[in-house]
Amino acid sequence: MSKEKVLIIGSCGQVGTELSESLRNIYGNFNVISSDLKKPQSDFWNQAPFETLNVLDKKNISEIFSKHKPSIVFHLAALLSATAEKNPKQGWELNMNGLFNIFDASIDFGVKRIFWPSSIAVFGPTTPKINTPQKCIIEPNTVYGITKLTGERYCEYYFNRYGLDVRSLRYPGLIGYKSDPGGGTTDYAVEIFHEALKNKRYTCFLKPDTNLPMLYMPDAVKATLDITHAASEKIKIRSSYNLSGFSFSPSILAQKIKNHIPDFEISYNPDQRQAIAESWPGSIDDFDARQDWGWQNDYDLDGMVKDMIENLTARYSSM
Ligand code: SER
């Protein structure tokens, strides 16, 4: 029987949904507590403990930490890039004060290990765009990026100052079929599959040649579990690790989808998310993650496209 109690905060988001499933398989349903602002009505969320948790409510956090005494915490609750630009103050409030509240509760209740995701959004327009190194000029110009960079600095600070064992990855755009994306700039790369299968056409909110680093969700879950489970001495970067799978632009992705769905058509109507995308790197050098704790992605672009289409085809045909 597992000795660990795992708490996932922001369970119902794009990463949390898939991570909840994988963690239940590892630790057993009873030892994985999912939490979010609201509990969705579905069998999946009824099969294991679920708590309503607001990361801005310290009393609520104390109650949940004291009730479950988690040893490992995955803190995923955040406003993503496009949503945070619409609500800059709320983006800072949720992303930063939420982080402080969870860090402080983790110290108070003796949590052994925390995972918190950062993002390629920490990079900005002055960052080298190709094979962006782990350490380089980092001047984000979005609220989301500013909160992620500040959060990274605090991960390192809490580790050095309080010995809090926080681990972090700079997620690139994440693509998955099990859950819906929520307010990200890279989310066109998920929407496009749904529209291709349902309507055979998609209007993209980014320009055709906007290259961005991406990762398929099974690999993102693998990286998250690998860094969280790695021996402490392997974690040499205590802010956040660069992480990537592959890079592509909307026009390249559309061509790959056309190989499976020949009558698929894409058109372009760039909006304010174009400026966000242009401030981010086109590709990422994740050498340190590969060297320090053995990161390796299983899926390339073709493998991801094939798997997305197969799984979404099965989902839509069973509806
Ligand atoms: N996928 C995120 C976003 O687009 C980046 O981390 O906001």
Side-chain angles (χ1 to χ4, degrees):
M1 212 183 105
S2 166
K3 287 202 294 286
E4 309 294 354
K5 273 265 165 192
V6 182
L7 173 65
I8 309 161
I9 300 165
S11 295
C12 305
Q14 198 192 3
V15 177
T17 308
E18 304 221 11
L19 204 57
S20 296
E21 191 180 338
S22 298
L23 287 166
R24 286 180 193 179
N25 290 336
I26 296 170
Y27 293 106
N29 285 16
F30 183 73
N31 295 310
V32 178
I33 295 94
S34 297
S35 70
D36 212 310
L37 281 174
K38 274 200 297 223
K39 182 177 176 183
Q41 290 311 315
S42 84
D43 285 349
F44 179 74
W45 298 113
N46 288 332
Q47 284 158 4
F50 191 102
E51 298 285 355
T52 307
L53 179 61
N54 175 357
V55 292
L56 297 178
D57 181 343
K58 290 186 191 179
K59 187 162 162 281
N60 183 202
I61 296 170
S62 278
E63 283 162 4
I64 305 298
F65 275 62
S66 128
K67 178 173 167 193
H68 293 287
K69 305 194 172 45
S71 52
I72 307 176
V73 171
F74 292 83
H75 172 36
L76 310 173
L79 283 198
L80 291 191
S81 58
T83 318
E85 282 317 297
K86 284 191 202 137
N87 312 283
K89 293 269 168 13
Q90 197 196 344
W92 176 268
E93 170 80 359
L94 179 70
N95 294 4
M96 289 318 306
N97 290 339
L99 183 64
F100 288 134
N101 290 344
I102 297 306
F103 276 178
D104 291 340
S106 296
I107 292 174
D108 292 347
F109 289 91
V111 170
K112 280 199 314 206
R113 211 165 269 190
I114 302 182
F115 175 84
W116 172 81
S118 183
S119 159
I120 53 160
V122 294
F123 300 114
T126 50
T127 294
K129 280 224 177 294
I130 300 179
N131 281 334
T132 302
Q134 175 71 38
K135 289 188 181 8
C136 56
I137 296 175
I138 297 192
E139 297 177 325
N141 62 1
T142 62
V143 171
Y144 180 63
I146 292 167
T147 63
K148 287 296 181 188
L149 177 56
T150 314
E152 284 190 6
R153 302 317 308 148
Y154 273 100
C155 288
E156 193 181 275
Y157 183 82
Y158 269 69
F159 175 72
N160 289 332
R161 174 87 195 254
Y162 305 110
L164 193 65
D165 188 356
V166 190
R167 288 128 190 248
S168 178
L169 297 170
R170 291 173 176 157
Y171 284 148
L174 300 181
I175 302 160
Y177 61 87
K178 291 187 186 169
S179 56
D180 294 330
T185 301
T186 55
D187 290 345
Y188 88 84
V190 181
E191 289 172 12
I192 192 171
F193 284 98
H194 291 269
E195 294 308 312
L197 285 161
K198 283 191 296 192
N199 303 320
K200 305 228 185 304
R201 50 187 313 113
Y202 177 63
T203 304
C204 185
F205 55 76
L206 296 183
K207 291 184 189 165
D209 57 351
T210 315
N211 220 36
L212 287 168
M214 302 276 183
L215 188 62
Y216 195 33
M217 194 58 91
D219 277 332
V221 169
K222 183 172 87 155
T224 304
L225 294 174
D226 283 356
I227 191 174
T228 304
H229 291 145
S232 198
E233 63 272 15
K234 294 203 162 166
I235 308 301
K236 306 219 164 45
I237 294 172
R238 284 293 175 172
S239 50
S240 190
Y241 276 92
N242 273 10
L243 184 79
S244 187
F246 39 83
S247 289
F248 58 78
S249 62
S251 65
I252 289 173
L253 181 58
Q255 192 50 53
K256 296 285 178 192
I257 292 175
K258 255 172 163 324
N259 293 343
H260 295 262
I261 307 170
D263 47 350
F264 171 62
E265 295 291 343
I266 186 163
S267 55
Y268 299 92
N269 185 16
D271 65 15
Q272 71 287 352
R273 286 169 282 191
Q274 181 64 31
I276 301 179
E278 279 175 15
S279 77
W280 292 349
S283 56
I284 296 283
D285 178 355
D286 57 6
F287 175 79
D288 290 275
R290 290 176 193 269
Q291 176 180 257
D292 290 358
W293 45 273
W295 158 241
Q296 232 183 330
N297 54 307
D298 291 331
Y299 287 86
D300 61 9
L301 172 56
D302 288 314
M304 177 277 286
V305 171
K306 183 168 175 287
D307 204 61
M308 280 293 282
I309 290 182
E310 278 171 11
N311 280 289
L312 285 176
T313 304
R315 195 213 283 183
Y316 282 120
S317 60
S318 70
M319 273 173 153

